[in-house]
C-alpha cells in the first residue's frame, strides 16, 4: 500500500490526534521564539545593563573570617616584634637595623590597608619612611593611603614632593591622575594619564590608564579623544576601553564580565566596568545615572581597587560630602 493510501485509511480520531499534536508543537515553538525575542528585545532596550547585572548578582564577602583572622594575626605578630625590640622615637634612619624596622612598618601598613584601616596604614607608612626615607616606594604607598583616607590635599603634596626630588615614576603619575580626577583638573589629568599609559610596565596596566586618558578628554570637552601610542591589551580591560570608545555596546561589556567564571574575579572586573561607565555618564552630563554606577561600584566593596576609592570620592562630591565605605 502506498504512503498516500495508508493515510487515507486512518481513522478520524487518529487523524485528529495527529493534528492536535502538530498544532501543540507549533504553538510551543512559536511561544519559545516569542520568549527568546522578548528576552533579546529586553537586553537591547535596557539602558543600564551593567546596573541590571550588578543588581542580580551577589557575591560572598571578600575577606572571609579566615582571611580576617590571618590579617589580624599578622598585625599582632608585627606589633609584638616592634614592642620587643622597639625603634627609637626619633631619627630611626640613623639607628642600627633601620631598614628592618622600615620593612616591619611597611608590612604592618599593608595589612592595615588590606583591612580598610587607612588611618593606621598612613601612620605605619610614615614610620617606615622615618626609618628609610630614601625608599621611593614607601612615599608612593603613603600617598596612596592618604588618598584612600580621603586626605587628597596631603596625598597631592606628598606626590608632588617626590616629583620635585626627581623621583618621577609610573606610580606617581597614576596617583596624580587619580587626584586630578577627584579635583577635576582635566588638562592635568590628560597629561598625567598619557604619561602613566606610556610608562606602564605592561599592556594590561597601560590599558587602564588609556581609559583614564579617554575619560579625562571627555570631561575636558574633547569630542574626539585620542589614545597614547601604546598597545592595547588583548584581554581585560580592553572591553572597558572598547565600550568607552563605542566599539562595543554596554550589553557586550556585560557579556565580557559574565564570561568570567571565577566569582571573585568577576566581582573585581564588574566593579571596574561600573566605575569607568559611571565616569562616562558623568562626563556626558548624566549625573543621576553616574551616581547609580558609582554606588554599585562601592557596594561591591572591592576595597583594594582604586576604582572603589575613586567611586567613593565621586559620591562624596555628588552627594554633598556624605561618607561611603
Amino acid at each position: 500500500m502506498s504512503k498516500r493510501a495508508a493515510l487515507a485509511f486512518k481513522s478520524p480520531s487518529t487523524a485528529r490526534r495527529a493534528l492536535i499534536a502538530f498544532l501543540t508543537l507549533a504553538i510551543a515553538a512559536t511561544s519559545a521564539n516569542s520568549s527568546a525575542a522578548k528576552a533579546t528585545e529586553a537586553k537591547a532596550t535596557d539602558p543600564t545593563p551593567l546596573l541590571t547585572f550588578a543588581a542580580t548578582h551577589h557575591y560572598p564577602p571578600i575577606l572571609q573570617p579566615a582571611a580576617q583572622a590571618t590579617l589580624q594575626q599578622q598585625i599582632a605578630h608585627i606589633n609584638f616584634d616592634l614592642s620587643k625590640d622597639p625603634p627609637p622615637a626619633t631619627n630611626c634612619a640613623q639607628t642600627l637595623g633601620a631598614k628592618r624596622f622600615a620593612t616591619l612598618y611597611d608590612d604592618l601598613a599593608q595589612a592595615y590597608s588590606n583591612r580598610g584601616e587607612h588611618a593606621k596604614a598612613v601612620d605605619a607608612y610614615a614610620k617606615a619612611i622615618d626609618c628609610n626615607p630614601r625608599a621611593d616606594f614607601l612615599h608612593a604607598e603613603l600617598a596612596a593611603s592618604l588618598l584612600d583616607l580621603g586626605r587628597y590635599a596631603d596625598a597631592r603634596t606628598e606626590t608632588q614632593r617626590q616629583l620635585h626630588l626627581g623621583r618621577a615614576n609610573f606610580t606617581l603619575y597614576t596617583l596624580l591622575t587619580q587626584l586630578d580626577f577627584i579635583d577635576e583638573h582635566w588638562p592635568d589629568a590628560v597629561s598625567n594619564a598619557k604619561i602613566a599609559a606610556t610608562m606602564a610596565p605592561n599592556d594590561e596596566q597601560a590599558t587602564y590608564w588609556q581609559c583614564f586618558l579617554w575619560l579625562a578628554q571627555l570631561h575636558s570637552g574633547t569630542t574626539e579623544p585620542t589614545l597614547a601610542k601604546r598597545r592595547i591589551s588583548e584581554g581585560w580591560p580592553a572591553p572597558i576601553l572598547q565600550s568607552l570608545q563605542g566599539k562595543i555596546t554596554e550589553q557586550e561589556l556585560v557579556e565580557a564580565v559574565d564570561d568570567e567564571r571565577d566569582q571573585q574575579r568577576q566581582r573585581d572586573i564588574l566593579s571596574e566596568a561600573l566605575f569607568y561607565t559611571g565616569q562616562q555618564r558623568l562626563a556626558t552630563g548624566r549625573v543621576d545615572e553616574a551616581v547609580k554606577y558609582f554606588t554599585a561600584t562601592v557596594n561591591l566593596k572591592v576595597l583594594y581597587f582604586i576604582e572603589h576609592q575613586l567611586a567613593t570620592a565621586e559620591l562624596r562630591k555628588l552627594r554633598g560630602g556624605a561618607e561611603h565605605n
Side-chain angles (χ1 to χ4, degrees):
M1 182 181 295
S2 69
K3 183 178 180 182
R4 184 181 299 274
L7 288 174
F9 278 93
K10 277 189 175 181
S11 67
S13 59
T14 301
R16 188 177 297 111
R17 284 197 296 272
L19 177 60
I20 291 171
F22 171 78
L23 291 174
T24 300
L25 289 172
I27 292 170
T30 301
S31 176
N33 291 337
S34 176
S35 297
K38 287 179 180 178
T40 301
E41 183 181 357
K43 284 185 177 181
T45 57
D46 185 351
T48 56
L50 271 170
L51 291 178
T52 301
F53 185 88
T56 55
H57 286 70
H58 305 283
Y59 304 96
I62 288 178
L63 280 181
Q64 298 290 339
Q68 287 276 18
T70 299
L71 283 174
Q72 188 55 49
Q73 289 173 1
Q74 182 183 0
I75 290 169
H77 180 72
I78 296 171
N79 279 326
F80 175 76
D81 284 347
L82 289 169
S83 65
K84 184 175 62 175
D85 180 21
T90 58
N91 297 321
C92 176
Q94 307 303 320
T95 192
L96 188 65
K99 289 189 177 181
R100 172 180 171 272
F101 291 131
T103 299
L104 286 171
Y105 279 125
D106 182 26
D107 291 343
L108 183 62
Q110 289 183 39
Y112 281 135
S113 182
N114 288 334
R115 284 170 57 92
E117 298 180 64
H118 301 303
K120 291 181 179 180
V122 165
D123 181 64
Y125 279 131
K127 290 177 179 177
I129 289 171
D130 185 48
C131 294
N132 190 6
R134 294 181 180 275
D136 296 353
F137 70 94
L138 289 175
H139 293 276
E141 288 172 345
L142 172 60
S145 282
L146 287 167
L147 191 157
D148 293 342
L149 191 57
R151 290 170 54 182
Y152 306 129
D154 291 336
R156 185 177 288 280
T157 297
E158 181 63 29
T159 305
Q160 293 286 5
R161 181 185 297 119
Q162 299 313 303
L163 287 178
H164 292 156
L165 291 172
R167 297 172 176 172
N169 57 44
F170 165 68
T171 301
L172 290 181
Y173 283 109
T174 66
L175 288 167
L176 284 173
T177 302
Q178 294 172 65
L179 291 165
D180 290 335
F181 265 72
I182 292 169
D183 295 333
E184 300 180 15
H185 296 170
W186 301 122
D188 290 339
V190 171
S191 299
N192 290 320
K194 188 172 185 178
I195 295 172
T198 303
M199 295 180 67
N202 54 58
D203 294 337
E204 178 183 349
Q205 284 291 315
T207 302
Y208 282 109
W209 299 101
Q210 296 275 35
C211 291
F212 277 100
L213 174 58
W214 188 273
L215 288 164
Q217 290 173 84
L218 283 184
H219 277 291
S220 65
T222 302
T223 56
E224 296 183 4
T226 57
L227 298 175
K229 292 182 179 180
R230 182 68 189 262
R231 190 169 67 176
I232 304 304
S233 64
E234 294 183 1
W236 192 266
I240 295 177
L241 182 58
Q242 292 166 350
S243 176
L244 296 178
Q245 293 175 295
K247 293 182 177 180
I248 65 172
T249 65
E250 187 175 327
Q251 178 57 43
E252 290 174 305
L253 179 56
V254 169
E255 291 164 5
V257 172
D258 195 31
D259 284 343
E260 175 56 58
R261 298 294 88 189
D262 182 88
Q263 288 297 288
Q264 181 170 326
R265 171 65 176 162
Q266 186 183 93
R267 170 174 41 201
D268 290 350
I269 66 175
L270 174 58
S271 72
E272 293 173 340
L274 285 163
F275 169 74
Y276 294 104
T277 304
Q279 279 290 347
Q280 183 185 50
R281 294 292 201 275
L282 188 60
T284 53
R286 290 176 282 180
V287 178
D288 290 343
E289 285 187 14
V291 168
K292 293 177 182 178
Y293 280 89
F294 294 141
T295 300
T297 304
V298 171
N299 286 344
L300 287 172
K301 296 187 180 300
V302 186
L303 304 180
Y304 44 82
F305 274 12
I306 64 171
E307 290 81 7
H308 174 91
Q309 306 302 339
L310 292 177
T312 300
E314 292 293 357
L315 290 173
R316 285 191 181 117
K317 292 189 296 180
L318 294 169
R319 289 179 170 174
E323 292 292 329
H324 300 268
N325 297 313

